[in-house]
Amino acid sequence: MSSRPSTAQRRLLKEYRELLREPTDGIVAGPVDENNLFKWNCLLVGPPGTPYENGVFRATMTFPKDYPLSPPKLKFDSPILHPNIYNDGTVCISILHPAGEDPMMYESADERWGPLQSIEKILLSVCSMLAEPNPNSPANVDAAKLWRDNREAFDEIIRKQVVKTLL
């Protein structure tokens, strides 16, 4: 880090210390290395009672230089089928959409990013999203269609992905 940390660096360090001091079940997150607070590794445990249960999903969170004014991006490194996750692993969830009104008028401004959000809240929201997909606003149309039309086949694919996360 430079001799005088930026607002973003101070905020990221503060959030990291909070995550260390008060860990949240099913979530582990921290900077890839101490010299770059703008890229984090994350581990999310699949929510109980879902096909994702017992999976340990790796993801990378990258932060813009003007964090917390702008939201980070979250991308799963582990293969994961989900209506709200693009095929490349990028998560599509309201909390990660830029602040302000939605040009498509689908989300309200209070569902979108705001500087008071936190890394912990983002990761908890993603865990909730895993448990309760929004098939009406899919990032992965094929996954949304499978989820709606053939839940048994959808769940079977997920269970196979869960096993792979544990190998």
Side-chain angles (χ1 to χ4, degrees):
M1 270 197 291
S2 63
S3 58
R4 188 161 185 220
S6 68
T7 300
Q9 289 169 316
R10 286 193 303 274
R11 169 71 180 264
L12 289 165
L13 193 55
K14 178 181 179 236
E15 289 195 56
Y16 180 51
R17 287 180 179 146
E18 287 172 10
L19 286 168
L20 290 174
R21 189 171 41 253
E22 294 182 41
T24 301
D25 285 347
I27 294 171
V28 178
V32 171
D33 75 55
E34 62 189 42
N35 295 316
N36 181 5
L37 294 175
F38 292 96
K39 185 175 182 183
W40 286 34
N41 286 328
C42 308
L43 291 175
L44 300 176
V45 175
T50 74
Y52 302 95
E53 185 172 18
N54 299 320
V56 179
F57 299 94
R58 289 178 290 110
T60 302
M61 191 176 298
T62 53
F63 298 88
K65 297 297 181 195
D66 68 344
Y67 180 80
L69 299 178
S70 297
K73 295 195 181 325
L74 182 65
K75 184 175 179 179
F76 279 96
D77 303 321
S78 306
I80 185 168
L81 180 69
H82 191 279
N84 307 114
I85 300 173
Y86 289 99
N87 283 329
D88 73 353
T90 301
V91 174
C92 181
I93 188 172
S94 300
I95 196 172
L96 294 177
H97 295 162
E101 293 299 321
D102 178 9
M104 306 300 280
M105 297 175 40
Y106 179 75
E107 304 163 332
S108 66
D110 62 341
E111 293 175 301
R112 295 167 70 90
W113 179 256
L116 297 178
Q117 305 289 13
S118 67
I119 295 163
E120 178 189 37
K121 186 168 182 184
I122 292 166
L123 296 175
L124 287 171
S125 294
V126 170
C127 287
S128 292
M129 177 198 77
L130 291 177
E132 297 177 32
N134 179 357
N136 299 321
S137 178
N140 183 331
V141 175
D142 293 335
K145 185 172 177 7
L146 188 61
W147 185 84
R148 270 194 306 264
D149 299 346
N150 191 344
R151 192 71 60 85
E152 195 174 297
F154 179 88
D155 290 355
E156 183 60 29
I157 292 168
I158 300 306
R159 283 192 283 275
K160 288 178 181 174
Q161 289 178 329
V162 163
V163 169
K164 289 180 182 173
T165 72
L166 302 174
L167 300 177

